[in-house]
């Protein structure tokens, strides 16, 4: 049944669905960031320190460790950023869901009101028919 709230409900539903997709996307981004951080920690564990050799090997190993630590810091900030984005998306989804529920409730109330009016009208019509036929039965 169409009411004056039906287009708004449809709009709020599409907005809520879009927000839900955003939450899913941000959650996937956060999972990717966590995997990248874990991978960078594993790569750091795989780097071995030279125990003997010339200074160039030591400097190369030191440079490799330094770049891996920088990558870890970058991935940590990425996880933090993705986490903040996810929380913001969840908050927006919650707001959109509340708006949708408000208009859905208003639509349901209007439908109930219309049904009640229809029932009262039907009752009056039945009473009128009963009164018209009542007099005819006894004559």
């Amino acid at each position: 049944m169409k009411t004056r709230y039906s287009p708004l409900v449809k709009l709020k539903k599409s907005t809520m669905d879009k927000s839900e997709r955003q939450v899913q996307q941000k959650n996937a981004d956060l999972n990717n960031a966590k995997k990248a951080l874990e991978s960078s920690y594993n790569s750091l564990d795989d780097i071995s320190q030279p125990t003997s050799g010339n200074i160039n090997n030591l400097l190369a190993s030191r440079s490799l460790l330094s770049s891996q630590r920088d990558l870890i810091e970058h991935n940590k900030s990425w996880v933090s950023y993705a986490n903040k984005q996810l929380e913001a998306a969840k908050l927006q989804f919650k707001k959109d869901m509340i708006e949708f529920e408000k208009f859905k409730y208003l639509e349901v109330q209007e439908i109930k009101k219309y049904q009640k009016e229809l029932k009262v009208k039907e009752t009056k019509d039945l009473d009128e028919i009963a009164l018209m036929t009542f007099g005819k039965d006894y004559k």
Side-chain angles (χ1 to χ4, degrees):
M1 169 182 275
K2 284 241 181 210
T3 66
R4 63 183 172 167
Y5 296 109
S6 295
L8 286 171
V9 169
K10 188 175 180 181
L11 177 68
K12 295 298 180 179
K13 173 79 170 138
S14 67
T15 304
M16 184 183 71
D17 290 342
K18 183 179 175 186
S19 293
E20 186 177 15
R21 285 190 301 273
Q22 282 286 83
V23 168
Q24 291 171 350
Q25 179 63 40
K26 299 300 180 185
N27 201 15
D29 290 346
L30 178 62
N31 287 336
N32 289 339
K34 285 180 179 179
K35 285 179 185 176
L37 180 62
E38 184 179 335
S39 173
S40 60
Y41 272 122
N42 290 338
S43 295
L44 181 65
D45 290 339
D46 292 344
I47 297 173
S48 62
Q49 294 288 333
T51 55
S52 63
N54 59 14
I55 192 71
N56 288 335
N57 289 343
L58 180 63
L59 290 176
S61 174
R62 190 169 152 195
S63 176
L64 188 59
L65 282 173
S66 176
S67 68
Q68 193 61 33
R69 286 185 186 126
D70 289 342
L71 181 62
I72 288 173
E73 286 303 314
H74 174 267
N75 287 339
K76 280 183 182 179
S77 65
W78 184 23
V79 167
S80 175
Y81 175 75
N83 216 354
K84 289 177 186 175
Q85 292 288 75
L86 178 62
E87 291 304 315
K90 282 181 180 179
L91 185 62
Q92 184 62 42
F93 176 63
K94 185 176 179 180
K95 287 179 184 177
D96 290 341
M97 192 172 12
I98 289 170
E99 283 294 310
F100 170 72
E101 290 297 327
K102 282 180 191 177
F103 286 105
K104 185 72 175 165
Y105 176 78
L106 289 173
E107 183 182 40
V108 167
Q109 292 303 314
E110 190 162 309
I111 290 171
K112 284 181 182 178
K113 181 181 171 186
Y114 177 74
Q115 287 175 340
K116 187 176 180 181
E117 289 172 359
L118 193 62
K119 197 174 199 179
V120 167
K121 184 180 181 291
E122 187 177 304
T123 304
K124 285 181 182 178
D125 289 345
L126 287 174
D127 286 346
E128 187 176 324
I129 291 171
L131 284 175
M132 290 186 333
T133 59
F134 177 73
K136 292 181 181 179
D137 288 344
Y138 292 110
K139 290 186 180 183

